[in-house]
Structure formats: structure tokens, C-alpha cells
Amino acid sequence: MCESFKRQYQLCDEIGRGRFGVVFRCFSPSSHTSFAVKSIDKRLLLDDETDRECLDKEPKILQILSPHPNILQIHDIFDSDSHLLIVTDLCQESTLYDRVVSAGPFSETDACSVFTQLIDALAHCHRNYICHRDVKPDNILFDSRNRVKLCDFGSAEWFGGVEGRERMNGIVGTPYYVAPEVLAGREYNEKIDVWSAGVILYIMLGGVPPFYGDTVEDTFAAVLRGNLRFPTKIFRSISPEAKDLMRKMLSKDVSRRFSAEQVLRHPWVTSGGMTSTMNDMS
């Protein structure tokens, strides 16, 4: 560990292992606050140019986006010849993926609470010309106050503005959540994040992904078809407003797909998931 880190923080227990290193809990005696610190052994990345680029890019992007209540915040960076230490918010161990698996489908109000925070984070990214490009439940954490924290910006890219270009390319993302235009090898824009968030909303409400197959190839083929359905057995009790929003987020026609800002203005979001169906019952 860097000596400068040791002067400011006390290293505690290991809490996870990620793609680039080990994550520990640490404590700041001066602020009496606990944080997470990711310790990355740079010597393991010497031969991998892509990993080095991701490692270099993520802290820069997080610093641009901070502070935002729903994006993992960097508090300190310590760089030595052998290691990079990144001190961030301390989050709970369970991700949104863990919660969906353990609890099953969410109520519309509970789903809307998580979803609105996610979309607010994405809208903030897009206003700053940053596209996350790998939005999935595994990358949605929760802090001690149960607030959503979007993390893992290793695949993120700048677009538009001064820093980047208006459109992006390259196949990135994760099966189930990746947008069809990415798989098709076409240029794309930041609305790929909206597609991924739409898939997450579908899973939170239905408990299953909207596009899937027995193999990765079958799943990709289903995504490319983009044939969105709401099986009655699963979605019988889901409101028309929620289904309308998902249709507008999971539109194959990118020109008709909602932006993150449009999603935030949709009636299902502004009502907090308090749908007309629920109002009729009260």
C-alpha cells in the first residue's frame, strides 16, 4: 500500500474482487467515515493495452461525473509505480442483480424508486457527453442509505461535445442488456444506455429478461429481432403506463426511442409508479 494512503486511511477487511483488483473496506480517522478502496496491481496489466486504457479512463470519467447522488463517487486516488488505489463510496455487498434474484419481481412503486435513480444517473452522464455502455443490474449498487450507485465505467465512452464524437462504435455490453444496434455493428449513440435500462425495468417488474435464448447466440438473435412482448401470465398486473414506458425505451428504431430526459418526464416515472390501475383501486 502507498505510504500516503496509510497516512490518511486505515485498511480493513477485503470485501470483493473485481476485474482489475481487490476491493477493501477502509476507514478515515479524520472524517470518521468508512470507504471502499480498490487496489490495482499495475504490473499485471503491462501486456494488455485495452485494460490499461480502461483503468486510465474510469477515474477520469468518475471525476467528471462527481458529485452525483446516484453515481459512485471517487474520494481519493493514490498512484505508485506498482499500484493504483482508488477510494470510493462504500456500498452494500448486494447488487440490484442479487436483489432481483433473491426477492423476485418488484412492485411498481419499488421498481420505480430504483429505476428513477438509475435514469437520473444516466441523464447526468449524457448531459456530460458520457455513455456508460454496460448498464446492467450487476453494476447497480446501493449505499448505506439504500440509494442507487451506478458503477463500473470501464467501458464508458465520450461522445459529442468537445471531447468526443457524436456517434460511437465497437461491440461492448452484456448479453440480455446490449442494444440491437450495437450487435448489428452499426454506429450508435447514448440511447444504448436507455435500451439497457429498459431491459432492467422489464426484469424488475417481470422477473425475466425480454430477449433471451438457450445460448448466447440465441440471446443475441432475440435482441436483434427486438420482438417485445408482455406475456399475460407474467405481466397481467403490470400497469399500461409501465408497459408504455418500456415500449418507448425498447424501440428498435433509435429515432423513436426515448432519451433519458424523456424517460424522466414519462407519467409512470413522475407518479412514482403510482399508476392509474392503483388509483382505481383506492
Side-chain angles (χ1 to χ4, degrees), residues 211-238:
F211 313 109
Y212 61 91
D214 293 332
T215 65
V216 171
E217 291 76 15
D218 290 343
T219 297
F220 285 163
V223 171
L224 285 166
R225 287 194 298 272
N227 186 14
L228 181 64
R229 295 180 177 177
F230 299 102
T232 304
K233 185 177 180 181
I234 299 174
F235 285 90
R236 181 183 293 107
S237 61
I238 302 302

Side-chain angles (χ1 to χ4, degrees), residues 33 75 128 184 216 247:
T33 305
H75 296 277
N128 284 276
V216 171
R247 287 190 188 96

Side-chain angles (χ1 to χ4, degrees), residues 11-48:
L11 190 67
C12 305
D13 51 313
E14 179 182 323
I15 56 177
R17 288 180 176 264
R19 180 179 170 193
F20 292 125
V22 185
V23 182
F24 297 91
R25 191 188 320 272
C26 65
F27 179 74
S28 167
S30 61
S31 66
H32 298 283
T33 305
S34 292
F35 298 94
V37 57
K38 183 188 287 187
S39 174
I40 297 137
D41 188 339
K42 296 194 292 186
R43 294 166 296 187
L44 302 177
L45 308 175
L46 291 177
D47 298 325
D48 195 319

Side-chain angles (χ1 to χ4, degrees), residues 230-262:
F230 299 102
T232 304
K233 185 177 180 181
I234 299 174
F235 285 90
R236 181 183 293 107
S237 61
I238 302 302
S239 68
E241 292 92 338
K243 293 174 186 174
D244 176 73
L245 176 56
M246 286 184 278
R247 287 190 188 96
K248 288 171 176 170
M249 296 179 71
L250 295 171
S251 169
K252 277 187 67 179
D253 184 343
V254 179
S255 66
R256 298 180 64 182
R257 188 183 307 162
F258 265 19
S259 67
E261 298 284 0
Q262 287 175 303

Side-chain angles (χ1 to χ4, degrees), residues 128-227:
N128 284 276
Y129 306 107
I130 291 168
C131 182
H132 187 283
R133 300 207 303 173
D134 194 18
V135 178
K136 58 184 178 181
D138 314 62
N139 289 336
I140 299 171
L141 306 176
F142 298 89
D143 68 9
S144 60
R145 296 165 60 183
N146 225 29
R147 291 181 303 187
V148 163
K149 293 285 183 177
L150 179 62
C151 70
D152 197 347
F153 284 77
S155 298
E157 187 60 86
W158 284 280
F159 67 91
V162 177
E163 293 291 337
R165 53 202 185 280
E166 287 190 16
R167 301 186 73 80
M168 295 161 278
N169 52 43
I171 296 181
V172 294
T174 302
Y176 298 129
Y177 308 102
V178 65
E181 61 268 28
V182 176
L183 290 179
R186 302 196 302 268
E187 289 190 327
Y188 49 83
N189 62 22
E190 73 278 9
K191 286 186 180 181
I192 64 168
D193 287 346
V194 175
W195 175 281
S196 301
V199 173
I200 290 173
L201 178 57
Y202 189 104
I203 290 172
M204 283 197 291
L205 292 175
V208 295
F211 313 109
Y212 61 91
D214 293 332
T215 65
V216 171
E217 291 76 15
D218 290 343
T219 297
F220 285 163
V223 171
L224 285 166
R225 287 194 298 272
N227 186 14

Side-chain angles (χ1 to χ4, degrees), residues 99-137:
R99 294 188 179 195
V100 171
V101 169
S102 63
F106 290 24
S107 69
E108 290 196 38
T109 51
D110 287 346
C112 191
S113 174
V114 172
F115 176 77
T116 301
Q117 294 176 74
L118 169 61
I119 293 297
D120 200 57
L122 291 177
H124 180 68
C125 292
H126 298 171
R127 284 192 292 268
N128 284 276
Y129 306 107
I130 291 168
C131 182
H132 187 283
R133 300 207 303 173
D134 194 18
V135 178
K136 58 184 178 181

